[in-house]
């Protein structure tokens, strides 16, 4: 029986097994089949994955070296990442059956290192949501408890790793969409620094926030995936030119850190009492391990959700204007008297789901001439203050810790009728995207209700090495 613990151990298995990739692909295909009801995959590339596996097995047998760093690693992609000649729909009717005409840079990089792409994961439509209930292709279920959400928007990618349907997966994180489902599913979810990974080939939601992120079963795998997919890209001017360290070989778990936590975050009335207590207890454990952990006042906490929703919806209203029924995607059936405007209206009303429509309208409103200064400009000003405050904090501290989400995974349907309640649950995750810093959800805890939850760790820009090293240490401490 094939079983997976880490990429390193898997690659040793491959060196000892001629048919190793084939064995692994067959294993994952059967797990995917057995877990169909979770709805994590919109499409499975069974034949292609088997063909890729056969090629890789042959490459090893022929003694072709070097093997790619992700040789045989089985990866799934959120349905917002372009894979040439494969469908990408942002889980929306408006892009249903649309075929990618090019590879996202991350896909090029994965394939260049011998990864096997096994399928396309369900998500919230255009990555807007926190529960994966906004997909045009049905909700995704949490494998721990199928009556509960897996989180969102990258719910399918999280469940794919959680339920052992692939080794790692890529999602996107605009306001928590990798960290929040990782928290709900009990796995590692990393959102790197804005600009660490090229966004070329990622369907845009809010361009100044979006970043591709990684789901993994452990920190080492996340570190390895990051070092492969990060880096400068001529196709994305916001991708940073900073050198990409070899994260996977440079992780150190014996360093001592100066860690801050926000007083307001832990005393927030919306925070589950048991989550707060577990984190407080863990702070003591960190101190005992030789780290300095101190409270910091952060009075801006209550502003970050409104600021996030003003700015991201503004950017979304602009980004999503390209889906107009003309250039690509769904076009509504028209009557003889329908004019161009009617064609736009019908196509967009029928093609986009309710949440996406709500955000396009909200974003259009905050950008409208009469309200621009009151909402958009004001929110940009707060974003600036947040950035400055963060810079000051990182002058004194190496890392910040806080909960990833105020509660454990909620029931399917529990929050879907109240968008505000759903938005407020993003209180801890949107901060990292507003200021562009890297953040991770580390699966450290189990609630008395039986569900897992994580601790969020944040570091300064491009400090993923510290982020991953500290996270690794935290997991060791919990063992
Ligand atoms: N839950 C947040 C939202 O609905 C985050 C989405 C994301 O990161 N893509 O906007």
């Amino acid at each position: 029986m094939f079983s997976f613990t880490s990429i390193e151990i898997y690659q040793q298995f491959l060196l000892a097994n001629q048919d190793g990739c084939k064995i692994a692909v067959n294993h994952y295909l059967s797990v995917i089949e057995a877990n169909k009801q979770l709805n994590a995959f919109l499409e499975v590339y069974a034949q292609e994955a088997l063909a890729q596996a056969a090629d890789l097995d042959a490459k090893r047998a022929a003694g072709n070296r070097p093997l790619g760093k992700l040789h045989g690693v089985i990866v799934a992609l959120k349905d917002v990442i372009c894979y040439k000649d494969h469908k990408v729909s942002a889980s929306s009717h408006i892009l249903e059956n649309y075929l990618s005409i090019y590879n996202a840079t991350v896909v090029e990089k994965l394939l260049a290192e011998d990864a096997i792409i096994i399928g396309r994961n369900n998500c919230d439509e255009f990555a807007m949501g926190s529960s994966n209930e906004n997909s045009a292709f049905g909700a995704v279920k949490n494998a721990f408890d199928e009556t509960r959400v897996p989180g969102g928007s990258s719910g399918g990618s999280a469940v794919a790793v959680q339920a052992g349907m692939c080794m790692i997966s890529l999602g996107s994180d605009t306001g928590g969409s990798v960290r929040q489902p990782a928290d709900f599913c009990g796995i590692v979810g990393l959102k790197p620094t804005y600009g660490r990974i090229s966004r070329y080939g990622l369907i845009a939601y809010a361009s100044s926030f979006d970043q591709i992120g990684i789901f993994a079963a452990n920190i080492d795998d996340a570190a390895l995936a990051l070092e492969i997919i990060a880096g400068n890209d001529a196709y994305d001017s916001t991708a940073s030119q900073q050198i990409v360290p070899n994260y996977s070989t440079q992780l150190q778990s014996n360093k001592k850190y100066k860690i801050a936590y926000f007083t307001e975050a832990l005393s927030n009335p919306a925070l589950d009492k048991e989550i707060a207590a577990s984190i407080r207890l863990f702070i003591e454990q960190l101190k005992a391990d030789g780290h300095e952990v101190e409270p910091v006042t952060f009075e801006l906490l209550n502003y970050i959700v409104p600021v996030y929703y003003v700015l991201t919806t503004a950017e979304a209203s602009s980004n999503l204007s390209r889906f107009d029924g003309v250039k690509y995607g769904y076009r509504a059936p028209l009557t003889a008297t329908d004019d161009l405007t009617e064609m736009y209206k019908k196509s967009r009303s029928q093609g986009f789901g309710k949440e996406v429509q709500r955000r396009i309208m909200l974003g259009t409103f905050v950008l409208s001439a009469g309200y621009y200064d009151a909402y958009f400009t004001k929110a940009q000003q707060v974003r600036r203050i947040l950035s400055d405050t963060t810079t000051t904090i990182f002058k004194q501290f190496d890392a910040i810790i806080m909960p990833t989400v105020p509660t454990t995974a909620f029931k399917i349907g529990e929050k879907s009728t109240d968008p505000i309640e759903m938005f407020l649950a993003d209180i801890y995750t949107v901060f990292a995207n507003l200021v562009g810093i890297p953040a991770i959800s580390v699966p450290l805890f189990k609630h008395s209700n039986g569900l897992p939850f994580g601790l969020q760790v944040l570091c300064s820009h491009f400090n993923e090495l510290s982020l991953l090293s500290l996270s690794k240490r935290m997991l060791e401490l919990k063992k």
Side-chain angles (χ1 to χ4, degrees):
M1 236 312 256
F2 179 85
S3 75
F4 174 79
T5 38
S6 73
I7 293 176
E8 196 186 346
I9 295 174
Y10 168 58
Q11 288 181 334
Q12 287 162 10
F13 160 85
L14 290 183
L15 289 176
N17 285 276
Q18 272 207 353
D19 288 339
C21 291
K22 216 174 103 198
I23 295 171
V25 169
N26 277 318
H27 164 82
Y28 285 101
L29 291 175
S30 67
V31 181
I32 292 172
E33 183 58 34
N35 286 285
K36 257 187 163 163
Q37 79 292 352
L38 299 176
N39 203 19
F41 280 84
L42 294 176
E43 217 181 339
V44 183
Y45 312 135
Q47 292 318 315
E48 281 176 64
L50 283 167
Q52 261 178 299
D55 285 351
L56 294 173
D57 285 339
K59 177 176 172 180
R60 273 197 327 284
N64 289 351
R65 298 293 186 270
L67 299 176
K69 282 187 171 182
L70 293 178
H71 186 86
V73 172
I74 294 170
V75 186
L77 301 174
K78 181 178 182 180
D79 186 25
V80 287
I81 296 174
C82 294
Y83 182 15
K84 192 170 191 277
D85 299 329
H86 294 75
K87 286 182 194 171
V88 62
S89 75
S91 293
S92 177
H93 280 310
I94 212 155
L95 275 178
E96 198 170 348
N97 297 323
Y98 175 76
L99 284 183
S100 291
I101 52 173
Y102 61 87
N103 275 336
T105 298
V106 291
V107 170
E108 289 284 341
K109 291 185 175 208
L110 289 172
L111 295 174
E113 294 293 340
D114 294 350
I116 297 173
I117 299 178
I118 200 157
R120 177 165 65 100
N121 291 133
N122 199 351
C123 60
D124 279 306
E125 186 177 3
F126 282 95
M128 297 175 184
S130 309
S131 65
N132 220 121
E133 292 166 291
N134 298 334
S135 167
F137 307 113
V140 176
K141 293 170 180 159
N142 193 315
F144 275 119
D145 173 351
E146 294 183 18
T147 65
R148 291 180 188 271
V149 303
S153 63
S154 318
S157 307
V159 171
V161 171
Q162 176 197 33
M165 300 192 266
C166 61
M167 295 173 183
I168 54 172
S169 63
L170 298 189
S172 63
D173 189 313
T174 304
S177 279
V178 168
R179 290 160 286 151
Q180 186 256 21
D183 174 284
F184 281 7
C185 293
I187 58 172
V188 172
L190 169 68
K191 179 207 90 76
T193 306
Y194 182 79
R196 181 68 298 185
I197 299 173
S198 168
R199 289 180 294 114
Y200 180 70
L202 168 69
I203 295 179
Y205 158 17
S207 307
S208 76
F209 294 73
D210 296 342
Q211 188 62 198
I212 289 172
I214 300 162
F215 291 100
N218 58 65
I219 297 292
D220 292 77
D221 290 357
L224 180 63
L226 179 64
E227 84 190 35
I228 304 301
I229 63 174
N232 189 25
D233 184 9
Y235 293 124
D236 174 6
S237 60
T238 65
S240 167
Q241 308 210 354
Q242 289 217 26
I243 302 274
V244 181
N246 280 331
Y247 300 107
S248 63
T249 52
Q250 291 177 25
L251 286 179
Q252 347 172 296
S253 54
N254 53 359
K255 262 185 77 181
K256 301 298 168 207
Y257 294 89
K258 226 177 148 203
I259 304 167
Y261 66 91
F262 296 154
T263 317
E264 291 76 3
L266 280 191
S267 58
N268 179 359
L271 177 62
D272 178 284
K273 295 281 166 293
E274 202 176 314
I275 296 182
S278 304
I279 294 180
R280 287 193 190 282
L281 209 65
F282 190 63
I283 288 174
E284 295 312 313
Q285 231 181 312
L286 286 169
K287 287 183 186 163
D289 191 44
H291 308 277
E292 276 179 58
V293 191
E294 282 174 27
V296 165
T297 344
F298 187 72
E299 283 153 357
L300 298 162
L301 191 69
N302 286 330
Y303 295 96
I304 61 180
V305 169
V307 167
Y308 168 82
Y309 278 96
V310 167
L311 296 178
T312 53
T313 55
E315 293 189 21
S317 77
S318 160
N319 275 327
L320 272 60
S321 66
R322 71 191 69 170
F323 304 103
D324 55 7
V326 177
K327 295 189 270 296
Y328 31 55
Y330 176 79
R331 178 181 297 180
L334 301 175
T335 65
T337 53
D338 283 339
D339 60 7
L340 182 66
T341 308
E342 209 51 41
M343 192 279 287
Y344 289 149
K345 272 198 205 163
K346 283 189 175 169
S347 301
R348 286 167 68 82
S349 305
Q350 293 167 22
F352 289 129
K354 284 281 163 279
E355 182 62 25
V356 175
Q357 292 185 19
R358 181 185 293 126
R359 293 195 192 196
I360 291 173
M361 286 191 282
L362 183 59
T364 308
F365 173 75
V366 298
L367 288 175
S368 61
Y371 295 95
Y372 189 92
D373 283 342
Y375 293 107
F376 187 74
T377 307
K378 190 53 94 295
Q380 290 286 34
Q381 288 165 340
V382 179
R383 190 178 195 184
R384 179 54 190 260
I385 294 171
L386 280 168
S387 268
D388 294 346
T389 311
T390 310
T391 308
T392 313
I393 295 172
F394 282 120
K395 283 197 178 121
Q396 292 179 56
F397 294 93
D398 305 309
I400 303 170
I401 52 172
M402 59 176 134
T404 309
V405 197
T407 63
T408 52
F410 46 89
K411 293 262 184 196
I412 293 175
E414 192 181 320
K415 290 192 182 173
S416 49
T417 50
D418 185 349
I420 303 284
E421 204 193 327
M422 191 82 94
F423 293 174
L424 285 173
D426 293 338
I427 183 156
Y428 300 123
T429 47
V430 298
F431 169 63
N433 306 76
L434 276 160
V435 300
I437 57 175
I440 190 168
S441 183
V442 190
L444 290 175
F445 307 108
K446 195 165 186 164
H447 199 275
S448 60
N449 65 14
L451 294 167
F453 62 97
L455 178 72
Q456 189 181 193
V457 187
L458 306 94
C459 282
S460 59
H461 294 93
F462 298 100
N463 231 329
E464 277 83 359
L465 192 56
S466 297
L467 185 75
L468 292 162
S469 298
L470 175 57
S471 306
K472 188 168 172 165
R473 181 66 194 150
M474 289 174 168
L475 279 164
E476 284 171 5
L477 281 179
K478 265 289 174 185
K479 267 190 193 151

